[in-house]
Structures are given as C-alpha cells and as structure tokens.
Amino acid sequence: MDAPAHGPGSRTDRPERSRKALVAGSVGNFIEWYEFGVYGYFATVIAARFFTPEGGSEAEALVRTYASFALAFFFRPVGAALFGRLGDRVGRRPVLILVIVLMTAATTLIGVLPTYATVGALAPWLLTLLRVVQGLSAGGEFGGAVSVMTEFAPPGRRGLYGSWQSFTVALGLLGGAGAAALLATLLTGAQLNSWGWRLPFLLTLPMGLGALWLRLRLDETPSFQALQATQALQATQAAQTLQSRRSLAAGESNEVDETSETAEATDTVETVEVSRAGQPPERPPAREVAKAIALGAGRVMGWAAAGYTFLVVLPSYLQSSLNATFQQALVATVLANLGFAATIIPAGLLSDRIGRRPVMLTGALLVTVLAVPLLNLLQDEGTSTALKGAAVFLAGAIVGLMAGPGPAMLSEMFPTSVRYTGLGLAYALSNAVFSGCAGLIITETIERTGSVDIPAYYAAATCAVSVLALLTLREQPTASEDRRMRNENGPDNRLHLTKEPHDRNGTTEKRS
C-alpha cells in the first residue's frame, strides 16, 4: 500500500530516519500521558481547588473532576477526525508539529490557572476549556505518531516500532507518578494543596519545546511521499491525455463540423479528470472506513478500559474506597506502570514473529479471568504488602500485552490515504468511551451500589468484548504485509479487517 521514498539517500539513511521518527513520534505521547497521569494522580487535589464550592462534598467534587477528565476524552475523536483529515492530505509532519504546540500550551496554562477560591465558578470553566484543547490535540497525536512510527519502520518491525507509542505512554504515566511522589515527599500537605500541584503542569513547557524541536527536524514519511508522487503522476498523465486529445480535436475540426462538438465534450470530460487527479487514488468507501474504525475500536476497548482502570484511576480508588494514603496509592500506581512498561516492547516484538492476534488475545483473556481475583487481593487486609505489590505489577503487565501490538494492528487496518484518520478515530473513540469515562463510571457506580469490586467488573467486561473483536483479526505473514504497507506490489487501498485464508506461499488468497 505504501512505497518507500526514492531518491538520493532514501535507503542509505533509512535506519537513521527510522530512529528519528521513533523519537519524534514518541515524545509527544510521553508529554500527553504525563499530563493525563498528573491530572489523575492529583484528582483529589484538583477537586478541592476547582470543584468544591462552599458546602460541596468531596465525593461530588471528585465526580465533577472526573467529568472534566471525561470531557477531554470525548473531544479526542473530534481532534482525531480534524487533524487526521489534515494529516492524510497535507502530511503527517506539519500536523504533528501543530498538535504538540497546542498540547504544550494548554497543559502549561493549567499550571497558572486561578482556583475556585480566587475567581469562583469561572475556575472550573477555565480548567474545562483547557481540557478540551488537550483532548483535541491528543486526538490528533495518536494517529499521526503511530503513522510516522509504522511508516518509517524497517521491514518486519512495525510491531516493535508501534509498541514504542505504548511504551512512552507508560513512561509518561510513570513520569507523572514520579513527579507526584517527589512533590508529596518534599512538600507538606498544605504546600502541595496550595501551590505544589502546579509544578508538574509547568514542567510541560520545556518538555514541549524539546518535542517541537525534534518534530521540526522530522522528514515526511516515505508512505505519504509515495502517495503524493502517485497523485502527481496521475495529474501529469491526465494533463498529457487532455492536451493530446485537444490537439487531435483541433486538427480534425476543419474536416467535419461534428468533430468540434465531440472535442468540446471530450475537453469537458478530461478537465473533470484532471480536477480529480489531485485527490488520493481510489479512497476506500466511507462505509467501509467507518466499519473498520468501529471494529478497531472494539479490538482496543479492553486495552483502553483496563489500562486506565489499573494505571490512572487506581490511586483515587485506593484512597476513596480502600482508605489508602496518598503515598501508598502512588506506590501501587508506580508498580502497575512498571509492569505495564516491562511487557510492552517484548509484546510488540513477539507480535512481529507470531502475529498481533495471539498476543493481544492473551492479554484480553487474562484480564477477563484475573481482574476480580487481583482486586480482591488488594482489598484483603490480610494480604502482605509484597503480594499486593505483585498483584498490581501483574495487572499492569497483562495490559501491556494488548498495548504492545495494538498500534501496529490499527495501522495495518488502513491504507495510507486514510490511515491517520482511521487509526486515530478508532483509538480515540475507544478511549473517549472506555478510558475517559472510567473514573466517572467507577466512582459514581461505587457511590450508588457500595460495591468496591466495580473496577474489576468494568475491566473484565470490556476485555471480554475485545476478545470477540480480536477473534476476527486477520493474520498475515509479516513479509507480505510489509510489501503491502510499502506499496512494492502496486497501490493497495483495501481495508484489512478480518481473517482471510492463505496459500502455502503465505500470500492472501483472492476471493472470487
């Protein structure tokens, strides 16, 4: 489907370009998830600073904080559609530069916002507005970053390169947890609640400037360059055909009167062809793209829900439902994120060898079966601290089995002409519903039912649905898929959704 760039240095410097793409794509994800982690870890502090008027309860303020959290996620699909459309038309590089500027500005401004005590009801509205901007930019980040990583990836390494997106998610969450833990250690409770919580948000500014510098030095992907070359070739061929037919029509116009009318009609038809030549060649039908997006969202919903439940919502859950201290909750979260980080890259690498489906299915099935027992270990006061630590580490590690191959799996579902939009929307929709709402759903349901097992039920149910969606995932030999991704066998604008039989040579059999 995609083609490598041809020209001077296109092959000799490919490893260096791949590494640059990996770093430039990863750094934006790190910043995005660092901030989302910080917001989750400081949810109780933010609730008190922005959502607690006189007489308001702490539980009510926490629900409102998570509502603002969810709102940012619901704007992710809007950002994925908006920036994805731009990225599929003008290129991955300029759009990724734009989203990192927006993300950095919005996150830094949170660090200087006035609180409810200063400006009253305006404070939560200002915070929510900045969360919306963050949601829009985050929606445009994933599709572009994964497109860059997988389109620059060497043959047979897309699983590994795509897994770095998820790995930097873990690093970002760990960075947020580390910043929160350090502040909780160095500052008193009063200092942390007064001004200390602002520091992690302000730290985004230098990180964002560094990310911007890296992306300004990034090349456009070989796949998108090939798409542009195809469009230019089509335009040139159409123009040449039009000119030839015009010349032929002009030469014969003096012999037969009717020829003039024919030439005029031909001229009109060919002009229409030229006007269409700048469009992406043979874009997949919108209905098929929508079907692929829905299926992709189903395949990653377990990753989204379980990941946010175990990696971000866990601190507030432990404090509000199990009476853990802030420091204990952060330690548990760090362990969960360490487990998550430990398995992501090995899972991505393994998926390059045995396929995306078996690795992701293993993770989804394990969460479905083990979510409740692992949470019960945390609830049991007789469980040793070491065993509780092992439980949260294991929970994070299982989620990593889905997160490692996930980006490459989504990327392979869409051709170059709609990849940025398609994979970005699939991921954003899944995260909007199942990650952004995780804290809100879990907190509100616990309040209403009194059941402290809700987080486990939520993670298990969503992973069970992902199992069904992953069973439809078509596996294909890596070499064959690489040729399709790099367009070595000609343009391929098909959507790759479900299982297809393979012949003995490893190529997909064509259905009649």
Short mmCIF file of all heavy atoms in Angstrom, two decimals, residues 40-41 43 66 69 305-320 329 333 434-443 446 455 458:
data_model
loop_
_atom_site.label_atom_id
_atom_site.label_comp_id
_atom_site.label_asym_id
_atom_site.label_seq_id
_atom_site.Cartn_x
_atom_site.Cartn_y
_atom_site.Cartn_z
N GLY A 40 -4.75 12.71 36.78
CA GLY A 40 -5.37 11.61 37.52
C GLY A 40 -4.82 11.47 38.92
O GLY A 40 -5.57 11.26 39.88
N TYR A 41 -3.49 11.59 39.07
CA TYR A 41 -2.87 11.43 40.38
C TYR A 41 -3.26 12.56 41.34
O TYR A 41 -3.38 12.36 42.56
CB TYR A 41 -1.34 11.39 40.25
CG TYR A 41 -0.84 10.30 39.34
CD1 TYR A 41 0.25 10.51 38.50
CD2 TYR A 41 -1.48 9.06 39.28
CE1 TYR A 41 0.70 9.53 37.64
CE2 TYR A 41 -1.03 8.07 38.42
CZ TYR A 41 0.05 8.30 37.61
OH TYR A 41 0.50 7.33 36.75
N ALA A 43 -6.13 14.17 41.17
CA ALA A 43 -7.58 14.36 41.02
C ALA A 43 -8.22 14.89 42.30
O ALA A 43 -9.07 15.78 42.26
CB ALA A 43 -8.24 13.05 40.59
N TYR A 66 -13.66 14.15 37.51
CA TYR A 66 -13.62 13.09 36.51
C TYR A 66 -14.51 13.40 35.32
O TYR A 66 -14.26 12.95 34.20
CB TYR A 66 -14.01 11.75 37.13
CG TYR A 66 -12.88 11.08 37.88
CD1 TYR A 66 -13.04 10.62 39.18
CD2 TYR A 66 -11.64 10.91 37.27
CE1 TYR A 66 -12.00 10.01 39.86
CE2 TYR A 66 -10.59 10.31 37.96
CZ TYR A 66 -10.78 9.85 39.24
OH TYR A 66 -9.75 9.25 39.92
N PHE A 69 -12.40 15.36 33.23
CA PHE A 69 -11.45 14.39 32.69
C PHE A 69 -12.06 13.70 31.48
O PHE A 69 -11.44 13.57 30.41
CB PHE A 69 -11.13 13.38 33.80
CG PHE A 69 -9.90 12.56 33.56
CD1 PHE A 69 -8.65 13.13 33.63
CD2 PHE A 69 -9.99 11.21 33.30
CE1 PHE A 69 -7.51 12.37 33.44
CE2 PHE A 69 -8.86 10.44 33.12
CZ PHE A 69 -7.61 11.03 33.19
N ALA A 305 -9.87 0.45 28.52
CA ALA A 305 -10.57 0.43 29.81
C ALA A 305 -9.70 -0.13 30.93
O ALA A 305 -9.57 0.46 32.01
CB ALA A 305 -11.86 -0.38 29.69
N ALA A 306 -9.09 -1.28 30.68
CA ALA A 306 -8.25 -1.90 31.71
C ALA A 306 -7.02 -1.05 31.99
O ALA A 306 -6.60 -0.90 33.14
CB ALA A 306 -7.84 -3.31 31.28
N GLY A 307 -6.46 -0.48 30.93
CA GLY A 307 -5.28 0.36 31.12
C GLY A 307 -5.55 1.54 32.01
O GLY A 307 -4.80 1.81 32.97
N TYR A 308 -6.62 2.25 31.75
CA TYR A 308 -6.91 3.42 32.57
C TYR A 308 -7.39 3.04 33.97
O TYR A 308 -7.11 3.74 34.94
CB TYR A 308 -7.90 4.33 31.87
CG TYR A 308 -7.31 5.69 31.68
CD1 TYR A 308 -6.41 5.93 30.64
CD2 TYR A 308 -7.55 6.72 32.58
CE1 TYR A 308 -5.81 7.17 30.49
CE2 TYR A 308 -6.96 7.95 32.42
CZ TYR A 308 -6.09 8.17 31.38
OH TYR A 308 -5.48 9.39 31.25
N THR A 309 -8.08 1.92 34.07
CA THR A 309 -8.53 1.48 35.40
C THR A 309 -7.35 1.15 36.30
O THR A 309 -7.28 1.59 37.45
CB THR A 309 -9.44 0.24 35.26
OG1 THR A 309 -10.58 0.58 34.48
CG2 THR A 309 -9.89 -0.24 36.64
N PHE A 310 -6.39 0.39 35.77
CA PHE A 310 -5.26 -0.07 36.59
C PHE A 310 -4.14 0.96 36.71
O PHE A 310 -3.39 0.96 37.68
CB PHE A 310 -4.68 -1.37 36.01
CG PHE A 310 -5.63 -2.53 36.06
CD1 PHE A 310 -5.65 -3.47 35.04
CD2 PHE A 310 -6.50 -2.70 37.12
CE1 PHE A 310 -6.52 -4.55 35.08
CE2 PHE A 310 -7.37 -3.77 37.17
CZ PHE A 310 -7.39 -4.70 36.14
N LEU A 311 -4.02 1.85 35.71
CA LEU A 311 -2.85 2.71 35.67
C LEU A 311 -3.11 4.15 36.09
O LEU A 311 -2.19 4.85 36.50
CB LEU A 311 -2.26 2.72 34.25
CG LEU A 311 -1.92 1.34 33.66
CD1 LEU A 311 -1.43 1.49 32.23
CD2 LEU A 311 -0.89 0.63 34.52
N VAL A 312 -4.35 4.62 35.99
CA VAL A 312 -4.65 6.02 36.29
C VAL A 312 -5.71 6.18 37.39
O VAL A 312 -5.54 6.96 38.32
CB VAL A 312 -5.10 6.77 35.01
CG1 VAL A 312 -5.50 8.20 35.34
CG2 VAL A 312 -3.99 6.74 33.97
N VAL A 313 -6.80 5.42 37.28
CA VAL A 313 -7.88 5.55 38.26
C VAL A 313 -7.51 4.92 39.60
O VAL A 313 -8.03 5.30 40.65
CB VAL A 313 -9.18 4.91 37.71
CG1 VAL A 313 -10.30 4.96 38.73
CG2 VAL A 313 -9.60 5.62 36.43
N LEU A 314 -6.58 3.97 39.57
CA LEU A 314 -6.21 3.22 40.78
C LEU A 314 -5.87 4.09 42.00
O LEU A 314 -6.34 3.79 43.11
CB LEU A 314 -5.04 2.29 40.47
CG LEU A 314 -4.60 1.33 41.58
CD1 LEU A 314 -5.72 0.36 41.91
CD2 LEU A 314 -3.34 0.57 41.17
N PRO A 315 -5.08 5.19 41.87
CA PRO A 315 -4.76 5.97 43.07
C PRO A 315 -5.98 6.51 43.80
O PRO A 315 -6.11 6.39 45.03
CB PRO A 315 -3.89 7.11 42.52
CG PRO A 315 -3.36 6.61 41.24
CD PRO A 315 -4.41 5.71 40.68
N SER A 316 -6.90 7.13 43.06
CA SER A 316 -8.09 7.69 43.69
C SER A 316 -8.98 6.59 44.26
O SER A 316 -9.59 6.76 45.32
CB SER A 316 -8.88 8.52 42.67
OG SER A 316 -8.13 9.63 42.27
N TYR A 317 -9.06 5.45 43.56
CA TYR A 317 -9.86 4.32 44.06
C TYR A 317 -9.30 3.82 45.39
O TYR A 317 -10.05 3.58 46.35
CB TYR A 317 -9.87 3.19 43.03
CG TYR A 317 -10.39 1.88 43.57
CD1 TYR A 317 -11.76 1.67 43.75
CD2 TYR A 317 -9.52 0.86 43.93
CE1 TYR A 317 -12.25 0.47 44.26
CE2 TYR A 317 -9.98 -0.34 44.43
CZ TYR A 317 -11.35 -0.54 44.60
OH TYR A 317 -11.81 -1.71 45.11
N LEU A 318 -7.99 3.64 45.44
CA LEU A 318 -7.38 3.15 46.68
C LEU A 318 -7.60 4.11 47.84
O LEU A 318 -7.83 3.69 48.98
CB LEU A 318 -5.88 2.91 46.47
CG LEU A 318 -5.50 1.77 45.51
CD1 LEU A 318 -3.99 1.73 45.30
CD2 LEU A 318 -6.01 0.44 46.02
N GLN A 319 -7.55 5.42 47.55
CA GLN A 319 -7.74 6.40 48.62
C GLN A 319 -9.20 6.50 49.05
O GLN A 319 -9.50 6.49 50.25
CB GLN A 319 -7.27 7.78 48.13
CG GLN A 319 -5.78 7.90 47.92
CD GLN A 319 -5.40 9.25 47.36
OE1 GLN A 319 -5.33 10.25 48.07
NE2 GLN A 319 -5.15 9.30 46.06
N SER A 320 -10.10 6.56 48.09
CA SER A 320 -11.51 6.80 48.42
C SER A 320 -12.25 5.54 48.86
O SER A 320 -13.17 5.62 49.68
CB SER A 320 -12.23 7.41 47.21
OG SER A 320 -12.18 6.53 46.10
N ALA A 329 -1.01 4.92 47.56
CA ALA A 329 -1.68 4.84 46.26
C ALA A 329 -0.70 5.09 45.12
O ALA A 329 -0.74 4.42 44.09
CB ALA A 329 -2.83 5.84 46.21
N THR A 333 0.50 2.59 42.06
CA THR A 333 0.40 3.01 40.66
C THR A 333 1.73 2.88 39.94
O THR A 333 1.78 2.48 38.77
CB THR A 333 -0.11 4.46 40.57
OG1 THR A 333 -1.32 4.56 41.32
CG2 THR A 333 -0.37 4.86 39.14
N PHE A 434 -14.26 4.41 26.92
CA PHE A 434 -13.86 3.41 27.91
C PHE A 434 -12.69 3.83 28.80
O PHE A 434 -12.47 3.22 29.84
CB PHE A 434 -13.54 2.09 27.20
CG PHE A 434 -14.70 1.58 26.39
CD1 PHE A 434 -14.69 1.65 25.01
CD2 PHE A 434 -15.81 1.06 27.02
CE1 PHE A 434 -15.76 1.20 24.26
CE2 PHE A 434 -16.90 0.60 26.28
CZ PHE A 434 -16.87 0.67 24.90
N SER A 435 -11.93 4.85 28.40
CA SER A 435 -10.88 5.39 29.28
C SER A 435 -11.35 6.66 29.96
O SER A 435 -11.28 6.79 31.18
CB SER A 435 -9.61 5.68 28.49
OG SER A 435 -8.94 4.50 28.14
N GLY A 436 -11.83 7.60 29.14
CA GLY A 436 -12.24 8.88 29.70
C GLY A 436 -13.35 8.75 30.72
O GLY A 436 -13.43 9.53 31.67
N CYS A 437 -14.22 7.77 30.51
CA CYS A 437 -15.34 7.59 31.43
C CYS A 437 -15.01 6.62 32.56
O CYS A 437 -15.86 6.39 33.43
CB CYS A 437 -16.56 7.07 30.67
SG CYS A 437 -17.27 8.28 29.55
N ALA A 438 -13.84 6.02 32.55
CA ALA A 438 -13.53 5.00 33.55
C ALA A 438 -13.65 5.55 34.97
O ALA A 438 -14.33 4.96 35.83
CB ALA A 438 -12.12 4.45 33.31
N GLY A 439 -12.97 6.68 35.24
CA GLY A 439 -13.03 7.23 36.59
C GLY A 439 -14.44 7.64 36.97
O GLY A 439 -14.89 7.38 38.10
N LEU A 440 -15.16 8.27 36.04
CA LEU A 440 -16.52 8.72 36.32
C LEU A 440 -17.45 7.54 36.58
O LEU A 440 -18.22 7.53 37.56
CB LEU A 440 -17.03 9.54 35.13
CG LEU A 440 -18.41 10.19 35.27
CD1 LEU A 440 -18.43 11.18 36.42
CD2 LEU A 440 -18.80 10.88 33.96
N ILE A 441 -17.39 6.52 35.70
CA ILE A 441 -18.26 5.35 35.85
C ILE A 441 -17.95 4.61 37.14
O ILE A 441 -18.86 4.26 37.91
CB ILE A 441 -18.09 4.41 34.64
CG1 ILE A 441 -18.67 5.06 33.38
CG2 ILE A 441 -18.77 3.07 34.89
CD1 ILE A 441 -18.38 4.28 32.11
N ILE A 442 -16.68 4.37 37.40
CA ILE A 442 -16.30 3.59 38.58
C ILE A 442 -16.67 4.34 39.86
O ILE A 442 -17.27 3.76 40.79
CB ILE A 442 -14.79 3.28 38.54
CG1 ILE A 442 -14.50 2.27 37.42
CG2 ILE A 442 -14.31 2.74 39.88
CD1 ILE A 442 -13.03 2.08 37.14
N THR A 443 -16.33 5.63 39.94
CA THR A 443 -16.61 6.40 41.16
C THR A 443 -18.11 6.52 41.42
O THR A 443 -18.59 6.30 42.54
CB THR A 443 -15.99 7.81 41.04
OG1 THR A 443 -14.59 7.69 40.80
CG2 THR A 443 -16.22 8.60 42.32
N ILE A 446 -19.69 3.03 42.34
CA ILE A 446 -19.36 2.65 43.72
C ILE A 446 -20.20 3.45 44.70
O ILE A 446 -20.70 2.93 45.71
CB ILE A 446 -17.86 2.87 43.99
CG1 ILE A 446 -17.03 1.84 43.22
CG2 ILE A 446 -17.55 2.75 45.49
CD1 ILE A 446 -15.53 2.05 43.33
N PRO A 455 -14.33 -1.70 39.77
CA PRO A 455 -13.22 -1.58 38.81
C PRO A 455 -12.89 -2.90 38.11
O PRO A 455 -12.61 -2.91 36.90
CB PRO A 455 -12.05 -1.10 39.67
CG PRO A 455 -12.69 -0.41 40.83
CD PRO A 455 -13.94 -1.18 41.10
N TYR A 458 -15.61 -3.82 35.55
CA TYR A 458 -15.52 -2.93 34.38
C TYR A 458 -14.41 -3.39 33.44
O TYR A 458 -14.62 -3.51 32.22
CB TYR A 458 -15.26 -1.50 34.87
CG TYR A 458 -15.16 -0.47 33.77
CD1 TYR A 458 -16.27 -0.09 33.04
CD2 TYR A 458 -13.93 0.13 33.48
CE1 TYR A 458 -16.19 0.87 32.03
CE2 TYR A 458 -13.83 1.09 32.48
CZ TYR A 458 -14.97 1.45 31.76
OH TYR A 458 -14.87 2.38 30.77
#
